Amino acid sequence: MRQKLLLFFTVCVFLAVMALGIVKKQTYTDLTKQENYLAQIQVAELPERIAENACAVMSQSLPNSAIILRVEVTGEIEHLFQVGRQKAVIREVYAGNELEKGEEIYIFSNHWQLVSDGNHDSIGRRFVNIMEVGTEYLVFAEAVSEEMETGDLLVELCDDFIIAPVFCYEERQNVIVPTSDDTTYVAYADVMDNEFFVTSEETLQLVETLKSRMLSLYPGDMVN
């Protein structure tokens, strides 16, 4: 009798979780269907108070990543339910035995999200902008999987870091928009050409130094 009750309780919990997921998915607002949606959202800038430690940790840890790639981005950002991804082709494999040069992959992060909370719509990027099609990037990842339905290769970024471990091989100008003590969110339209989203020149210098170190380790065909 106890086993039947336990089984019944487990099934009820499972069904409740499924129902909650379905309800949440149905209430999810597809911002991408709105015209020029990126001009209507906000994005967070990286504050200096956490940048120094974050960059120091990444400088030491990133070279030990399971997967290190130089890729050329071939597809625009795709916003799926609570995840974002972009298609790319591998130009060089610096670390990782599961991937080969020339393979097409999808790079994704669980922190790349469009968020609609009914107040201020925003995009989660971990302080690094959407990758530009036709441009090469240095990418640090932790896992490879295969999409069951299509067979597409999915490469998951190292998601434990505060800053997304993605660095453009080109130099980019970064606009810094001042923020208040209450929030570090700014209009995405004001920083949409940036590589990094930061609150100050000092913060930008920390991130740029991290980028320079990583590109010196994996130089590829750098474009200045």
Side-chain angles (χ1 to χ4, degrees):
M1 184 66 179
R2 286 185 60 187
Q3 289 183 338
K4 288 184 177 180
L5 287 173
L6 181 60
L7 178 60
F8 176 75
F9 177 75
T10 302
V11 171
C12 288
V13 171
F14 176 73
L15 291 175
V17 171
M18 279 190 62
L20 180 60
I22 291 171
V23 170
K24 282 188 133 185
K25 189 169 183 178
Q26 288 175 338
T27 58
Y28 175 71
T29 301
D30 189 354
L31 297 174
T32 62
K33 291 184 177 179
Q34 300 179 21
E35 186 177 356
N36 199 20
Y37 73 96
L38 287 174
Q40 305 172 40
I41 61 178
Q42 297 183 326
V43 66
E45 292 185 319
L46 176 67
E48 186 179 353
R49 65 179 181 275
I50 63 175
E52 184 172 3
N53 182 66
C55 290
V57 169
M58 293 176 72
S59 181
Q60 294 298 316
S61 301
L62 286 180
N64 299 319
S65 299
I67 301 165
I68 305 174
L69 307 171
R70 175 164 60 92
V71 305
E72 180 179 345
V73 177
T74 57
E76 300 288 352
I77 186 72
E78 298 178 22
H79 297 290
L80 308 180
F81 181 61
Q82 294 192 341
V83 69
R85 70 179 191 179
Q86 279 188 268
K87 197 170 188 177
V89 60
I90 298 173
R91 295 305 182 201
E92 194 65 60
V93 178
Y94 299 113
N97 299 321
E98 300 176 75
L99 297 168
E100 296 181 359
K101 184 177 179 179
E103 283 188 306
E104 288 190 333
I105 59 175
Y106 278 100
I107 300 168
F108 78 95
S109 169
N110 293 310
H111 299 296
W112 288 350
Q113 300 179 3
L114 277 177
V115 180
S116 180
D117 60 5
N119 187 16
H120 297 295
D121 296 334
S122 62
I123 185 170
R125 292 298 307 176
R126 284 291 170 109
F127 312 112
V128 179
N129 205 355
I130 297 168
M131 296 184 291
E132 186 174 312
V133 174
T135 303
E136 292 190 349
Y137 290 82
L138 178 63
V139 173
F140 296 85
E142 60 186 6
V144 180
S145 59
E146 186 175 304
E147 194 170 79
M148 293 181 61
E149 294 182 1
T150 64
D152 291 328
L153 291 175
L154 309 176
V155 177
E156 181 178 2
L157 286 185
C158 295
D159 270 345
D160 291 337
F161 300 112
I162 292 173
I163 304 167
V166 176
F167 304 99
C168 181
Y169 275 100
E170 297 179 3
E171 292 185 5
R172 295 294 170 87
Q173 296 296 315
N174 293 275
V175 174
I176 299 171
V177 178
T179 61
S180 66
D181 294 334
D182 298 328
T183 180
T184 65
Y185 278 86
V186 299
Y188 180 77
D190 292 339
V191 293
M192 63 188 308
D193 293 326
N194 284 23
E195 179 177 4
F196 305 115
F197 306 125
V198 297
T199 58
S200 67
E201 289 289 347
E202 291 76 14
T203 308
L204 179 60
Q205 184 60 48
L206 289 167
V207 182
E208 291 280 14
T209 299
L210 172 64
K211 171 182 172 175
S212 295
R213 180 170 188 273
M214 292 303 106
L215 295 190
S216 70
L217 294 175
Y218 313 98
D221 300 320
M222 281 198 64
V223 178
N224 293 316

